[in-house]
Amino acid sequence: MGSPQGSTLTTNMAGLVDGSSARAEVSFIDSLPVYVKELIAGGAAGAFAKTIIAPLERIKILLQTRTDGFQSLGVYQSLRKVLKHEGVMGFYKGNGASVIRIIPYAALHFMTYEQYRGWMLDNYSFLGSGPVVDLLAGSASGGTAVLCTYPLDLARAKLAYQVGDTRSKFGSGMKSLDPRPAYSGVTDVLTRVYRDGGIRGLYRGVGPTLAGILPYAGLKFYIYEEIKTRVPEEHRKSIVMNLSCGALAGLLGQTFTYPLDVVRRQMQVGTLQCSTIQGDARYGNTYEGLTSIVRNQGWRQLFAGLSINYIKIVPSVAVGFAAYDMMKVWLRIPPRQKLQAESSG
């Protein structure tokens, strides 16, 4: 029977019997600090969720920024137009920057939320341990994640804003539908923006981003935890219930803060806007952006793309939570109650 194969099989079986390989895996995973596990779980879940909803995210940006040819189109018509001119890969333009950004963003968001929450519970006991702490910790973690990853979000917006006909190639290069400067990728965007505007250019639009993410992230955690307190104890561990609470929290938080997201997008792509856009998108600050959009484009523009945001937020939250829960099981992250008991003990 082939002695080399037999000896190899015998060795593998012996390894399985004595559990040496299993113990090595257990010791490696268990040796990781909890915050490292949270970073890994959050980053993986964020990347997977972002890729799933990338087509809807691309269309939302085109509607938000009033891109030529998309101002009067709905979601379905916009999807068909992108597919016609750019093919399936057009739905994922800018998704590379989005995934590169979301991995550290989601990782930092989850990890710093737990860290901020624990710090507040230890040092500001008068706040209690309820939703108020979740509101403050969520806001702080959202702001931290934004400041660390904002240039990548800027690159994603600029790449997604470009509309070109990649199915029609005459000569060399891409045939653009609009006379805008074409960026070749994330590195090209970051290099050119930094050359033209320095650090301030890389953080253009960060004001409305922070103004939007601070209340949104805080409200998301606040509403989620508040809803969970009203769920019977025997149903709180249900995945379906957690997904439902998270989706509702995301929908409510997004509705309240969406106009700030529109201002952020228009500020990010301001240098790419064509003269056909009413008003000047080079706003000096968030308030100027809000008032200028209402005056020149109408108040409805503050909610442009909100319907598609509703469509994408539910699967995004669902996929994100499901992936995060799977990663937590695989990485053996203890429940929050157990961690708090160990730290207090």
Side-chain angles (χ1 to χ4, degrees):
M1 287 295 296
S3 57
Q5 293 181 354
S7 61
T8 301
L9 178 61
T10 303
T11 303
N12 290 341
M13 290 298 295
L16 290 175
V17 171
D18 65 21
S20 59
S21 60
R23 284 197 300 270
E25 180 185 358
V26 170
S27 62
F28 172 73
I29 294 177
D30 292 341
S31 66
L32 295 175
V34 173
Y35 74 89
V36 173
K37 296 180 181 181
E38 291 170 348
L39 285 171
I40 297 173
F48 187 59
K50 268 295 182 185
T51 301
I52 292 295
I53 63 165
L56 296 174
E57 182 70 18
R58 173 84 196 283
I59 298 302
K60 186 194 77 168
I61 292 177
L62 293 176
L63 294 176
Q64 281 182 326
T65 54
R66 296 173 63 86
T67 304
D68 288 344
F70 289 85
Q71 296 97 326
S72 59
L73 297 183
V75 174
Y76 178 69
Q77 292 86 351
S78 298
L79 287 169
R80 290 189 60 184
K81 184 167 185 175
V82 170
L83 180 62
K84 176 182 178 181
H85 291 285
E86 304 183 49
V88 175
M89 293 307 297
F91 293 131
Y92 293 91
K93 181 180 289 185
N95 187 59
S98 183
V99 170
I100 293 173
R101 167 190 170 270
I102 203 62
I103 290 176
Y105 177 86
L108 286 170
H109 196 26
F110 279 106
M111 187 272 290
T112 56
Y113 165 74
E114 297 292 349
Q115 297 297 317
Y116 284 135
R117 190 178 189 278
W119 178 73
M120 290 179 186
L121 290 175
D122 292 339
N123 296 278
Y124 300 95
S125 58
F126 64 89
L127 293 174
S129 59
V132 173
V133 175
D134 296 304
L135 175 67
L136 297 175
S139 298
S141 64
T144 301
V146 163
L147 290 174
C148 293
T149 62
Y150 186 79
L152 293 172
D153 186 52
L154 179 74
R156 173 178 68 110
K158 288 184 177 294
L159 288 172
Y161 180 68
Q162 295 179 153
V163 180
D165 193 344
T166 56
R167 290 191 167 187
S168 300
K169 292 185 181 294
F170 299 96
S172 60
M174 180 179 66
K175 179 189 176 184
S176 297
L177 295 180
D178 300 300
R180 302 190 187 103
Y183 296 108
S184 60
V186 178
T187 303
D188 185 39
V189 174
L190 296 177
T191 301
R192 291 169 60 177
V193 170
Y194 179 77
R195 184 176 64 242
D196 295 337
I199 296 296
R200 290 175 62 95
L202 291 174
Y203 279 86
R204 179 175 177 79
V206 72
T209 302
L210 287 174
I213 197 62
L214 292 178
Y216 171 69
L219 283 172
K220 183 174 64 175
F221 281 106
Y222 176 89
I223 296 173
Y224 178 70
E225 295 296 337
E226 183 65 25
I227 293 175
K228 284 182 64 177
T229 60
R230 304 179 185 277
V231 175
E233 185 69 30
E234 60 271 18
H235 297 298
R236 290 186 182 178
K237 294 183 178 180
S238 169
I239 295 178
V240 175
M241 184 59 64
N242 289 336
L243 292 176
S244 300
C245 294
L248 181 59
L251 287 172
L252 293 176
Q254 189 71 201
T255 301
F256 293 138
T257 61
Y258 190 78
L260 295 169
D261 190 47
V262 174
V263 176
R264 169 173 67 112
R265 291 300 183 198
Q266 292 204 9
M267 290 183 72
Q268 286 179 333
V269 302
T271 57
L272 300 180
Q273 297 278 18
C274 296
S275 58
T276 54
I277 304 299
Q278 293 180 341
D280 186 0
R282 300 184 182 183
Y283 311 126
N285 52 61
T286 305
Y287 178 75
E288 180 184 341
L290 288 170
T291 56
S292 179
I293 290 175
V294 172
R295 182 174 61 253
N296 297 312
Q297 304 172 26
W299 67 269
R300 292 180 183 274
Q301 180 60 29
L302 292 176
F303 295 92
L306 181 57
S307 60
I308 196 172
N309 221 41
Y310 285 150
I311 296 172
K312 81 179 183 67
I313 197 81
V314 174
S316 175
V317 172
V319 172
F321 268 97
Y324 186 65
D325 287 340
M326 291 177 61
M327 290 296 295
K328 286 199 298 183
V329 172
W330 183 70
L331 294 171
R332 295 188 281 276
I333 299 178
R336 182 190 296 173
Q337 293 83 355
K338 184 177 179 180
L339 289 174
Q340 291 176 350
E342 292 176 353
S343 62
S344 61

